[in-house]
Structures are given as C-alpha cells and as structure tokens.
C-alpha cells in the first residue's frame, strides 16, 4: 500500500485512538434528492457535506500536536500512526474552511493553526534545502523509519509534490491568519524547491522537477546522485522527473511563485508527447497539435480525442491529477484558454466513461482506497498519456487505441468490471458540472452504504457494492477545499493567489491557447452537464 500510494500522490512519471469529534453537536447531513431544486437547497446540501467532512478531519487530528493522521477508520475511532506534508497541508486549509463556514470561531481556528505550525517547526527537516520528509509520526513528531502496519523498513524520502502541498498551505496561512503570518513565513522561507530542479532534464531547453530524493543511497531503487543547490551536499534524486502537468504541477507553481524556479520551466512540461514517428509511439494515442513558443521555449500543444471531444490528457487520466491544483490556483481565470478550456472537457470525459462507456451508472475515478483492500490509482485510461494508465475498475481494464504505423490497436473491452468510484472526484468537478456532480453524490449515497459520521467514505466498488469505510486526510482535504471555494466564493484560491503569486504566475499561465473541443450539446444534455 505504501509504495503504491506514494506513487499516486506524487504522480510519478516518465521514462511514476479514539478521537474528538467536531466542535458542538452536529447532525449528519440528511440524504438529499439527486437534483436539488434550488440554489438554497444546493447550498444546504453542500454545507451539510462540509459539516460532516470537517468532523472527519477533526477526528483524525492529534489534539496534542495538531497533526492529522494519514487516515482514520469510518467510525472515527482509530487513526493511522503516520502523517505526511500533504496531510498537514490538507488539515491547515480545512481549518480555514471550517472557520469561514462558521463551524469553528476565528479564535479557535488561529489556535488550531498555531498548534499545528508549532509542531511543524519541531519536525526534522533536511538541510540545507529545508524540505520535509515524507512520513512522520503525528504523535511523537519523529521521522518514520519503520512502517507501523507491517514493520517494514522505510528509507527516509523527501517529495517535491508533498512539500509543494505543504508550502501551498503555509502560503495560504500567511494571507488568511494574521496571528500566524510571521511563523508560517519563517517555515516557508526555509523551503527551497531548487533542490529538486534538474535544469537539463527537459528536451526543449528548460528543466524539470524530480520526484524527490533520499539523503542516503536507496539501492536497489533507481537514483541519480546530484547537488542541484550547489551547496556541496549531494543527495540521491529519483530517476523519474515530472514531465507531465498533473497534480504535481503544484510544485512548479509554488517554485515559480516564490521566485525559485524560472517561469520557462512551466513550458517544459509535456502537454502531450509530440508526433515524432514512432519515437513516442508508446503513449496512449497519436496526438494532434502543433508547436508553439512561449518565453523562448518550444512546446508541443497536442490533444487526444475521446468520444467526439478533444482534450489535453493527464498522465494517468485521474480527476485529482487534473483538478487538485485548481482548488488553489484559479486556472479557470488565469489560464482561461488552456486549463480553463480543458477542465470542463476532462470532467465531461470522466462522466461519459462512467455512464456510457463502462456503463457503471456512476462516475468519478481518482486514486483512492481500494474497497477490496489497499490503495490504488484509478482513472480513465483513454484520457491519460501513459499507455497502460490508470484503470477505472478493480480488474484493471484498459484500452489501447494503437499508434498508427507503430503499434496495433487492441480490441475495445467487451465489458468493464467492478468500477471503483471515489466521492472526492465529484467534489472536484463541482465548478464544471455541478448538476452532474450533485446528482452523482446523491445517488452514491442512496444506492450504497457510502456515508458515515465523517461524510462520504473513501471509495465504492459500484458492481459488488463493497465500500472502503475509511477517511483519508488527502481526499477529505480535497473535499473541504472544494466546498470552501463553493460556499465562500473562492476563498481557497483567494488565500493562495495574491500578491507576488499572482504577479509571477498569472502572466505565465495566460500565454497558451489549447485546441480543445468540448462535448456536443446532445452529450451535455444526456450527461446532465449543463
């Protein structure tokens, strides 16, 4: 579970007991109709979801250290014995949502944030780059070297994307909690994302971020010895780089926004691999597009086709790869002609896969707990760049459209198996298909034992009916951020995307013009996308 989850969280690419409940007695959300009849009813439904989701975030957090567990059982009684930088970031921004929605007072929110930052300040960090390790014990604050679930050895690792999410939360705290601005700033100041940046990794003249590094040789795991900061401290970098703009682009955004990475780096990320004979014939399908030059960097802006639409694919085809950064960076506005066009088409493709191609009757595919056990990466293979990308079902059913002249197509799947649907995917889709998202959530709750005291459980196997009755800090944190934006008019984006962040990042994101084709009006109506 640990290694699969780490790859899913990092989006690895190329060449990848007892707990307190939320403050005050709060009744669980009543089951809503599948189509709320008014904006007031919709807001009430979303607010009820937020109330219960916050309860799970509160329950998984150690009251002494203010650090959340990686997950908690569905009865909110047993926490995991590990946490990560991403988990900590998710708790911090969830606390801001709870304050903004009135679940806790501003005073309590500041106290909670302060307690968490105090513990973050006591965590061991790597020197001289100031990065945080991937796993800590949330009670003792020690770096995890023995995995508590099975006693296996853990080689301490520092992840660029996990540190990116923690840095995102610290940047938000600076703008949202005046009492903690200085302390968040001091923690953030020590984090240098140049420590992951290989300036020669891309093929078009810019660099790429590596997935992370180990301070000590991780052999037999593949690694590259490097000192990108030039401080004389060599570390063992992952052999893979982040060559596709999945959820991992948050580290790119943070690095550019903080002036640590050149803006040209953003255009080193592959929208698709170019159509270069058979050299790139391993990718999911032959793209259509052409080269454009931005900030002196030549970038191939290609798209894939899917059920009459065209879109820029994400590495594995999962919802959180596409939409998690959009919770904080207003891509719909700042990248109106690129991500702003792509996001609604990507959501439409996920809905079409679940409802029409796989015929599950439900949709929303993203890395999550596996109701059959463990943790796995799920997605829609056809809209992922990786040829053997993330499947949407337990059986691992994939498509292969072939690559004309290089790779023969495989027959279309005769059927799909036990589809694994995760509710957080629907919450991420709210800005782009609210009617479909609300309906999907209501139907999951109506048809399965999918809802508990902390909101929606992590994943549902929709044919077998199995449910993973756990709450994960990452997935609940995405739900809280999505609901925070919906119910407080974009506060999550506002807390992150201000001042220097906007000055440095917005001009870069506004340069591209992707040739995306939306779904037909008939498909939109059929899938309730309007």
């Amino acid at each position: 579970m640990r290694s699969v989850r780490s790859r899913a969280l990092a989006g690895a690419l190329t060449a990848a007991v007892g707990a307190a409940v939320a403050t005050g007695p709060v009744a669980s959300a009543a089951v809503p109709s599948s189509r709320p009849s008014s904006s007031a009813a919709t807001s009430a439904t979303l607010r009820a979801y937020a109330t219960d989701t916050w309860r799970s975030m509160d329950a998984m957090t150690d009251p002494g250290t203010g650090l959340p567990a990686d997950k908690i059982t569905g009865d909110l009684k047993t926490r995991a014995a590990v946490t990560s930088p991403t988990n900590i970031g998710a708790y911090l921004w969830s606390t801001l949502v709870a304050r903004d929605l009135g679940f806790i007072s501003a005073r309590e929110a500041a106290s909670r944030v302060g307690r968490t930052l105090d513990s973050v300040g006591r965590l061991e960090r790597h020197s001289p780059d100031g990065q945080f390790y991937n796993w800590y014990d949330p009670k003792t604050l020690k770096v995890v070297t023995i995995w508590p679930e099975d006693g296996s050895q853990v080689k301490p690792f520092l992840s660029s994307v996990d540190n990116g999410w923690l840095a995102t939360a610290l940047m938000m705290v600076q703008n949202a909690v005046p009492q903690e601005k200085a302390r968040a700033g001091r923690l953030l100041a020590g984090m240098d994302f140049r420590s992951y940046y290989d300036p020669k990794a891309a093929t078009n003249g810019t660099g790429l971020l590596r997935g992370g590094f180990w301070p000590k040789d991780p052999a037999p795991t593949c690694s590259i010895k490097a000192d990108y900061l030039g401080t004389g401290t060599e570390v063992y970098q992952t052999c893979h780089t982040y060559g596709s703009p999945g959820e991992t682009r948050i580290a790119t955004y943070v690095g550019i926004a903080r002036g640590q990475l050149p803006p040209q780096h953003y255009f080193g990320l592959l929208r698709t691999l170019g159509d270069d004979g058979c050299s790139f014939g391993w990718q999911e399908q032959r793209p259509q597009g052409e080269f454009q030059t931005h900030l002196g960097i030549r970038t191939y802006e290609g798209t894939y086709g899917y059920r009459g639409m065209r879109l820029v694919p994400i590495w594995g085809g999962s919802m959180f790869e596409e939409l998690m950064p959009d919770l904080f960076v207003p891509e719909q506005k700042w990248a109106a002609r690129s991500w702003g066009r792509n996001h609604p088409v990507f959501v439409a493709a996920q809905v079409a896969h679940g409802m029409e191609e796989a015929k599950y009757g439900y949709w929303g595919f993203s890395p999550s707990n596996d109701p059959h056990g463990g943790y796995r990466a799920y997605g829609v293979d056809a809209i992922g760049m990786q040829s053997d990308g993330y499947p949407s079902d337990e059986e691992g059913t994939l498509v292969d459209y072939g690559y004309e002249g290089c790779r023969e197509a495989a027959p279309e799947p005769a059927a799909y198996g036990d589809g694994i649907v995760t509710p957080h995917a629907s919450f991420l889709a709210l800005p782009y298909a609210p009617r479909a998202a609300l309906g999907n959530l209501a139907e999951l709750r109506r048809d399965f034992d999918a809802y508990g005291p902390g909101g929606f459980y992590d994943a549902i196997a929709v044919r077998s009916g199995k449910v993973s009755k756990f709450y994960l800090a990452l997935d609940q944190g995405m739900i809280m951020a999505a609901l925070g934006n919906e119910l407080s008019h974009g506060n999550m984006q506002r807390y992150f995307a201000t001042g220097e962040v906007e000055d440095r990042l917005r001009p870069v994101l506004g340069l591209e013009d992707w040739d995306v084709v939306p779904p037909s009006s008939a498909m939109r109506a059929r899938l309730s996308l309007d």
Side-chain angles (χ1 to χ4, degrees), residues 253 256 262-267 271 294-295 334-335 338 502-512:
Y253 288 162
I256 293 172
Q264 289 83 356
H265 156 55
Y266 178 66
F267 300 106
R271 281 58 179 153
H294 306 289
L295 303 181
W334 289 5
S338 54
E502 181 169 10
D503 293 344
R504 288 172 170 162
L505 196 53
R506 184 172 187 171
V508 177
L509 297 187
L511 291 173
E512 289 185 286

Side-chain angles (χ1 to χ4, degrees), residues 234-283:
E234 290 188 318
V235 295
Y236 296 84
Q237 299 279 350
T238 60
C239 288
H240 72 267
T241 55
Y242 293 141
S244 172
E247 89 287 354
T248 57
R249 66 187 181 276
I250 194 63
T252 290
Y253 288 162
V254 167
I256 293 172
R258 298 188 61 227
Q260 294 177 350
L261 300 178
Q264 289 83 356
H265 156 55
Y266 178 66
F267 300 106
L269 302 174
L270 297 165
R271 281 58 179 153
T272 62
L273 280 82
D275 185 10
D276 183 18
C278 292
S279 299
F280 302 136
W282 57 266
Q283 64 182 309

Side-chain angles (χ1 to χ4, degrees), residues 182-215:
R183 180 152 48 170
R186 287 193 295 272
L187 290 169
L188 189 63
M191 302 178 72
D192 196 332
F193 284 82
R194 294 177 300 164
S195 58
Y196 307 105
Y197 185 67
D198 182 344
K200 299 178 181 179
T203 59
N204 61 355
T206 185
L208 295 173
L209 290 169
R210 294 203 173 270
F213 61 83
W214 298 266

Side-chain angles (χ1 to χ4, degrees), residues 4-42:
V4 172
R5 180 144 194 228
S6 296
R7 287 197 299 272
L9 290 177
L13 308 177
T14 76
V17 173
V21 297
T23 54
V26 183
S28 291
V31 179
S33 67
S34 62
R35 297 287 183 265
S37 59
S38 68
S39 59
T42 296

